[in-house]
Amino acid sequence: MSSNYSIAIHGGAGTLVKGMMTAKKEAAYKIALSDALETGHNLLRSGKTAIQAVTEAVKALEDSPLFNAGKGSVFTSEGKHEMDASIMDGKTLNAGAVSLVTGIKNPIALAKDVMEHSEHVFLAGNGAMQFAEKMGYPLEQAAYFYDALRYQQWQEIKDSDHFQLDHSAKKDAKFGTVGAVACDISGNVAAATSTGGMTNKRYGRIGDSPLIGVGNYANNKTCAVSCTGSGEFFIRGVVAYDVSCLIEFKGLSLQNACNEVIHNRLADIGGDGGLIAVDSKGNIALPFNTEGMYRASKTNNEEATILIYDS
Ligand code: ASP
């Protein structure tokens, strides 16, 4: 039994440079991050599990139009929203994931239901939608997910073969895959990640976020990890599990393992982005190799930290 508990969340990493946003917009991001953080932290404080805390924190981020997950998801090449999410319980190694889902307000809740109410780990496309229907999920209209800036980002590249991270759009970019990792008072860890993917994505493209061991992983023996960044590179780097392996098999600390993966291994293959991680003692690491990452963290004995830029 550990008495330390902690939570960290992210809202995407990318070209986040000081002065790029208005003070008002920056404040809006910080409020959204703070609300999600406190939602998760309050649950941990009242003795709830890490799984409950990461689910509710991610739901709060999905409900905010500021982030590329749930409401505010990016547009596909067909002008739709196709969302991916995954969740993992570090105590049992149970996991659930969904991909290419449409009209679902909180994809992370559906991923959790796959984990808890199906015999499978990963459901995609029509199958995931059939499962959602069976579980009684209402379908939101496209208008619920619409965001004017995301629409504009799509308009700029929709006639090309390109797809892009909402992270890397130049000026007034809204960034945003979301994630949460937590360690509860029993020392159990969990991770949850949710995304709209990449603007103008096509061909049934699936990124790292719903892939267990890539964009999301949790294991009490090592850590819980949620990633954000250029998904294709994260897939090739098997990023989340790589962090876990460096701790388990090489004895690295949480911070050193995270730094090695993000600043060396991922950077070496050309990947950009970051991750958030906790271990079962409540330690937190928040590395990224981009200009910034929307991030927040809080332990049982420290005040909340809410940051956007590198320094
Ligand atoms: N990793 C996500 C993906 O490739 C994008 C992101 O982090 O914003 O789908």
Side-chain angles (χ1 to χ4, degrees), residues 68 165-167 177 195 197-198 205 207-209 228-231:
N68 171 21
L165 268 186
D166 63 326
H167 302 196
T177 287
T195 189
M198 292 172 86
R205 183 264 184 189
D208 59 312
S209 309
T228 175
S230 47

CSV table of all heavy atoms in Angstrom, one decimal, residues 68 165-167 177 195 197-198 205 207-209 228-231, ligand 1:
chain,number,residue,atom,x,y,z
A,68,ASN,N,-7.9,18.2,-29.5
A,68,ASN,CA,-8.2,17.3,-30.6
A,68,ASN,C,-8.6,15.9,-30.1
A,68,ASN,O,-7.8,15.0,-30.2
A,68,ASN,CB,-7.0,17.2,-31.5
A,68,ASN,CG,-7.1,16.2,-32.6
A,68,ASN,OD1,-8.3,15.8,-32.9
A,68,ASN,ND2,-6.0,15.8,-33.2
A,165,LEU,N,-0.4,16.7,-38.4
A,165,LEU,CA,-0.6,16.9,-36.9
A,165,LEU,C,-1.3,18.2,-36.7
A,165,LEU,O,-0.8,19.2,-37.3
A,165,LEU,CB,0.7,17.0,-36.2
A,165,LEU,CG,1.4,15.7,-35.6
A,165,LEU,CD1,2.6,16.2,-34.8
A,165,LEU,CD2,0.4,15.0,-34.8
A,166,ASP,N,-2.3,18.2,-35.9
A,166,ASP,CA,-2.9,19.6,-35.6
A,166,ASP,C,-1.8,20.3,-34.9
A,166,ASP,O,-1.7,21.5,-34.9
A,166,ASP,CB,-4.2,19.5,-34.8
A,166,ASP,CG,-4.0,18.9,-33.5
A,166,ASP,OD1,-3.1,18.0,-33.4
A,166,ASP,OD2,-4.7,19.3,-32.6
A,167,HIS,N,-0.8,19.6,-34.3
A,167,HIS,CA,0.3,20.2,-33.6
A,167,HIS,C,1.2,21.1,-34.4
A,167,HIS,O,1.8,22.0,-34.0
A,167,HIS,CB,1.3,19.1,-33.1
A,167,HIS,CG,0.6,18.1,-32.3
A,167,HIS,ND1,1.4,17.2,-31.5
A,167,HIS,CD2,-0.6,17.8,-32.0
A,167,HIS,CE1,0.6,16.4,-30.9
A,167,HIS,NE2,-0.6,16.7,-31.2
A,177,THR,N,-4.2,15.9,-29.1
A,177,THR,CA,-4.5,14.6,-28.5
A,177,THR,C,-4.5,14.7,-26.9
A,177,THR,O,-3.6,15.5,-26.4
A,177,THR,CB,-3.5,13.6,-28.9
A,177,THR,OG1,-3.7,13.3,-30.3
A,177,THR,CG2,-3.5,12.3,-28.1
A,195,THR,N,-8.0,10.7,-29.1
A,195,THR,CA,-7.6,11.6,-30.1
A,195,THR,C,-8.5,11.6,-31.3
A,195,THR,O,-9.2,10.6,-31.5
A,195,THR,CB,-6.2,11.2,-30.6
A,195,THR,OG1,-5.7,12.3,-31.5
A,195,THR,CG2,-6.2,9.9,-31.4
A,197,GLY,N,-6.9,12.2,-34.1
A,197,GLY,CA,-5.9,11.8,-35.0
A,197,GLY,C,-5.3,12.9,-35.8
A,197,GLY,O,-5.0,13.9,-35.1
A,198,MET,N,-5.1,12.8,-37.1
A,198,MET,CA,-4.4,13.9,-37.8
A,198,MET,C,-5.3,14.4,-38.9
A,198,MET,O,-6.1,13.7,-39.5
A,198,MET,CB,-3.1,13.3,-38.4
A,198,MET,CG,-2.1,13.0,-37.3
A,198,MET,SD,-0.7,12.1,-37.9
A,198,MET,CE,0.4,13.5,-38.4
A,205,ARG,N,-6.7,5.4,-41.7
A,205,ARG,CA,-5.5,5.6,-41.0
A,205,ARG,C,-5.7,5.5,-39.4
A,205,ARG,O,-6.6,6.1,-38.9
A,205,ARG,CB,-4.9,7.0,-41.3
A,205,ARG,CG,-3.6,7.3,-40.6
A,205,ARG,CD,-3.8,8.1,-39.4
A,205,ARG,NE,-2.5,8.5,-38.8
A,205,ARG,CZ,-2.3,9.0,-37.6
A,205,ARG,NH1,-3.3,9.3,-36.9
A,205,ARG,NH2,-1.1,9.3,-37.2
A,207,GLY,N,-3.6,5.9,-35.8
A,207,GLY,CA,-2.3,6.3,-35.2
A,207,GLY,C,-1.9,5.5,-34.0
A,207,GLY,O,-2.3,4.4,-33.9
A,208,ASP,N,-1.0,6.1,-33.2
A,208,ASP,CA,-0.5,5.4,-32.1
A,208,ASP,C,-1.4,5.4,-30.9
A,208,ASP,O,-1.4,4.4,-30.1
A,208,ASP,CB,0.8,6.1,-31.6
A,208,ASP,CG,0.6,7.5,-31.3
A,208,ASP,OD1,-0.1,8.3,-32.0
A,208,ASP,OD2,1.0,7.9,-30.2
A,209,SER,N,-2.3,6.3,-30.8
A,209,SER,CA,-3.1,6.5,-29.6
A,209,SER,C,-3.9,5.3,-29.1
A,209,SER,O,-3.9,5.0,-27.9
A,209,SER,CB,-4.0,7.8,-29.7
A,209,SER,OG,-3.3,8.9,-30.2
A,228,THR,N,1.8,11.6,-27.1
A,228,THR,CA,1.2,12.5,-28.1
A,228,THR,C,2.3,12.9,-29.1
A,228,THR,O,3.4,13.2,-28.7
A,228,THR,CB,0.5,13.7,-27.5
A,228,THR,OG1,0.1,14.6,-28.6
A,228,THR,CG2,1.4,14.5,-26.6
A,229,GLY,N,2.0,13.0,-30.4
A,229,GLY,CA,3.0,13.4,-31.4
A,229,GLY,C,2.7,12.7,-32.7
A,229,GLY,O,1.6,12.3,-33.0
A,230,SER,N,3.7,12.7,-33.5
A,230,SER,CA,3.6,12.1,-34.9
A,230,SER,C,3.4,10.6,-34.8
A,230,SER,O,4.4,9.9,-34.7
A,230,SER,CB,4.8,12.5,-35.7
A,230,SER,OG,6.0,12.3,-35.0
A,231,GLY,N,2.2,10.2,-34.9
A,231,GLY,CA,1.8,8.8,-34.6
A,231,GLY,C,2.6,7.7,-35.3
A,231,GLY,O,3.0,6.7,-34.8
B,1,ASP,N1,-0.5,10.8,-31.9
B,1,ASP,C1,-1.7,11.2,-32.5
B,1,ASP,C2,-1.9,10.5,-33.8
B,1,ASP,O1,-0.9,10.3,-34.5
B,1,ASP,C3,-1.8,12.7,-32.8
B,1,ASP,C4,-1.6,13.6,-31.7
B,1,ASP,O2,-0.8,13.2,-30.7
B,1,ASP,O3,-2.1,14.7,-31.7
B,1,ASP,O4,-3.0,10.1,-34.2
